């Protein structure tokens, strides 16, 4: 593919801007722009690789660090870029690891240490990902690890340990959920009974304060004989009239005790029973229960 007339200048400008920073990471927006520019053509990939390798010779470790971070991003994604860098792999290791006495890493020392650490980390990662296909990567890794005895982060062991820890955390989480499920299952009958009893008491209280005779007297305060008579002859009509007129039952001295009970039962239903039901539903959604476990009784 032929490059654009301004393509080379754009690639060089983006890389130059991205490496002129005091930050420890490359600006994500500039990094994205560099990737986009290099995807346009092979010629720009070649120019990008050449520009980055030149910047690795800079006499400041901060520039080298940011340059190496860009190289790693492109190295993992572009086969052509990877091939171009591998052709100068020994030079890259010398300029980033600083293992040759004749080519020490430039100042500042703290950034030079970070540069060296990152270079060793990237080399191990590259060897794991591409060492089988690139002899230069394998040889470089072997030389630094087994000949120079440099300490590598052992990414495979670290990844395996993290995976093992993640699985252990997941197993502990499942165990806790299963334990909570067993508790919910064993106590479900009691919870169901408590909810039904609370609802029953609320219904009874509502019936007491809502059922009235023709004269508006609450049925609960009538004597038993009058209560039965009014209940039999007027109950249905009273309910229908109440619904049609949307009458509100006011709290009075006669029914205040019933209202107090209704309020307490309402609080119990909303603050205890509803919360218990919601917690139970949340648990059932998350828990992994095998098919051979007993189901929660209805």
């Amino acid at each position: 593919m032929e490059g654009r007339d301004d393509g080379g200048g754009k690639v060089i400008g983006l890389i130059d801007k991205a490496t002129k920073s005091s930050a420890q990471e490359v600006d994500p927006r500039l990094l994205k722009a560099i990737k986009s520019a290099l995807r346009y053509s092979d010629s720009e990939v070649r120019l990008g690789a050449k520009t980055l390798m030149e910047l690795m010779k800079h006499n400041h470790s901060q520039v080298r660090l940011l340059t190496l971070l860009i190289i790693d991003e492109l190295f993992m994604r572009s086969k052509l870029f990877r091939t171009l860098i591998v052709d100068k792999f020994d030079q890259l290791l010398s300029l980033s690891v600083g293992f040759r006495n004749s080519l020490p890493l430039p100042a500042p020392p703290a950034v030079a240490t970070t540069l060296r650490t990152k270079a060793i980390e990237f080399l191990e990662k590259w060897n794991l990902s591409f060492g089988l296909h690139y002899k230069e990567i394998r040889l470089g890794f072997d030389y630094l690890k087994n000949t120079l005895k440099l300490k590598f982060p052992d990414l495979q062991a670290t990844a395996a340990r993290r995976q093992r820890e993640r699985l252990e955390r997941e197993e502990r989480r499942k165990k806790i959920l299963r334990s909570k499920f067993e508790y919910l299952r064993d106590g479900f009958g009691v919870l169901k009974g408590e909810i039904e009893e609370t609802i029953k008491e609320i219904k009874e209280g509502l019936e007491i304060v809502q059922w009235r005779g023709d004269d508006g007297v609450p049925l609960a305060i009538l004597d038993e004989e009058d209560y039965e008579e009014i209940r039999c002859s007027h109950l249905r009509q009273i309910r229908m009239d109440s619904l049609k007129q949307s009458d509100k039952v006011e709290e009075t001295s006669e029914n205040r005790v019933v209202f107090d009970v209704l309020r307490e039962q309402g609080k119990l239903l909303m603050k205890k029973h509803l919360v218990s039901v919601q917690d139970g539903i949340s648990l059932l959604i998350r828990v992994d229960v095998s098919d051979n476990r007993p189901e929660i009784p209805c």
Side-chain angles (χ1 to χ4, degrees), residues 83-141:
T83 301
L84 295 170
I85 295 298
V86 165
D87 286 343
K88 298 183 178 181
F89 206 65
D90 182 71
Q91 182 184 33
L92 177 64
L93 293 182
S94 297
L95 296 171
S96 58
V97 179
F99 62 89
R100 288 193 172 93
N101 293 330
S102 59
L103 289 174
L105 298 179
V111 181
T113 299
T114 303
L115 170 63
R116 179 186 176 91
T117 301
K118 281 292 184 182
I120 292 173
E121 176 187 325
F122 290 159
L123 175 57
E124 183 177 6
K125 180 176 66 174
W126 297 343
N127 184 61
L128 288 172
S129 300
F130 309 110
L132 183 64
H133 307 289
Y134 297 93
K135 179 179 65 176
E136 294 85 350
I137 297 178
R138 293 198 309 273
L139 292 176
F141 176 76

Side-chain angles (χ1 to χ4, degrees), residues 28-70:
R29 293 171 298 179
L30 289 174
L31 184 58
K32 182 178 180 180
I34 292 170
K35 292 177 183 177
S36 178
L38 265 63
R39 277 197 296 266
Y40 185 79
S41 71
D42 289 352
S43 62
E44 286 168 331
V45 173
R46 296 178 187 279
L47 179 60
K50 180 181 178 181
T51 303
L52 289 166
M53 285 304 301
E54 286 298 319
L55 283 171
M56 285 302 300
K57 301 175 184 177
H58 199 285
N59 195 31
H60 198 292
S61 280
Q62 176 66 20
V63 175
R64 292 193 188 186
L65 173 61
L66 295 177
T67 301
L68 182 65
L69 294 176
I70 297 173

Side-chain angles (χ1 to χ4, degrees), residues 271-284:
K271 294 185 177 181
K272 180 181 178 182
H273 297 326
L274 179 60
V275 172
S276 297
V277 171
Q278 290 173 334
D279 290 344
I281 292 173
S282 175
L283 173 62
L284 292 174

Side-chain angles (χ1 to χ4, degrees), residues 242-257:
S242 177
L243 290 173
K244 290 178 181 179
Q245 298 173 10
S246 300
D247 290 339
K248 292 184 178 180
V249 180
E250 296 184 359
E251 183 176 353
T252 65
S253 58
E254 288 84 1
N255 62 18
R256 183 163 295 122
V257 174

